[in-house]
Amino acid sequence: CGFEPCPISESWEATSWHACSVTCGQGIRSRRVRCKVTFPNGTMLYAPDVRCNDTEKPRTLKPCFGMECAAKPIEIVWSKCSSKCGPGVKTRRVKCLQNDVLCKLKYRTTRKVECYGSKCSGVWKTGPWSKCSVTCGYGLQYRSIRCKTDRTDKTWFHNCNKHDRPGSTRSCYAGSCVNAFDLYV
């Protein structure tokens, strides 16, 4: 053994089996197997696998079977949006084949998400144009734009067709600018 003490034993050490890789149906259980070397003074070390007899190495994988698989949902239905116009909520319902706790936990029979009702008769409404942004020459005018519906006082831009939206700015001309030096000529 050279300068090191000779080991008195080389053996495989296996951990306990891990849980099955699936909760239902066929899966795999695994465990860790390492080569353990024991020296005369009682010291134990883990060594590369080549130190131990490969033909005696315990299995690291084995098949396993979880419980019988829970029923899959047979029906997933989304409700209509709670609002015909503007923001609302829609709900997903999952119906399991049987009264199965695992199915209900996995698929959470109800789930709510935000939605927007699209059956609105929105009309673009514009405010008056502002004064020209300059006192002479070319400038800009501004106006407010809102989407109004017959079902609500609130303004929701998604209730109007964005392609029909009128402009909110336009150019304007406030007359020619008079140069102060031109007045004294």
Side-chain angles (χ1 to χ4, degrees):
C1 296
F3 297 105
E4 299 174 7
C6 293
I8 52 173
S9 74
E10 296 164 337
S11 60
W12 293 102
E13 180 182 84
T15 62
S16 57
W17 290 102
H18 293 280
C20 192
S21 61
V22 295
T23 55
C24 72
Q26 185 173 356
I28 295 174
R29 293 184 79 174
S30 64
R31 65 179 175 178
R32 187 174 184 179
V33 175
R34 299 188 290 182
C35 179
K36 181 175 76 173
V37 178
T38 306
F39 293 93
N41 64 0
T43 303
M44 290 184 286
L45 297 173
Y46 293 107
D49 286 0
V50 295
R51 287 286 299 260
C52 289
N53 184 347
D54 194 45
T55 60
E56 296 175 3
K57 184 176 183 179
R59 292 188 305 169
T60 58
L61 301 173
K62 73 176 182 178
C64 60
F65 297 91
M67 300 182 310
E68 184 177 325
C69 288
K72 299 259 188 247
I74 60 167
E75 187 178 20
I76 299 175
V77 178
W78 283 99
S79 69
K80 292 180 179 178
C81 190
S82 63
S83 172
K84 291 183 180 179
C85 176
V89 175
K90 66 180 182 177
T91 305
R92 180 188 77 172
R93 278 192 46 228
V94 176
K95 184 177 179 184
C96 295
L97 283 170
Q98 303 162 348
N99 189 10
D100 189 321
V101 176
L102 289 176
C103 178
K104 289 180 179 179
L105 287 173
K106 183 175 182 180
Y107 294 102
R108 298 179 73 190
T109 54
T110 58
R111 180 175 166 218
K112 294 183 178 187
V113 295
E114 200 173 291
C115 61
Y116 293 92
S118 60
K119 295 182 179 177
C120 299
S121 55
V123 177
W124 291 110
K125 296 289 184 182
T126 58
W129 288 105
S130 68
K131 291 183 180 178
C132 194
S133 61
V134 295
T135 55
C136 68
Y138 291 95
L140 292 173
Q141 287 180 293
Y142 304 95
R143 67 178 174 183
S144 62
I145 297 178
R146 297 184 307 165
C147 175
K148 293 294 279 179
T149 66
D150 56 352
R151 296 178 183 256
T152 178
D153 298 352
K154 296 180 180 177
T155 301
W156 308 103
F157 284 106
H158 62 270
N159 291 333
C160 291
N161 186 338
K162 66 181 179 180
H163 300 294
D164 295 336
R165 184 179 177 168
S168 59
T169 60
R170 71 177 179 186
S171 61
C172 57
Y173 180 70
S176 63
C177 294
V178 177
N179 189 335
F181 293 112
D182 290 343
L183 295 174
Y184 297 105
V185 177

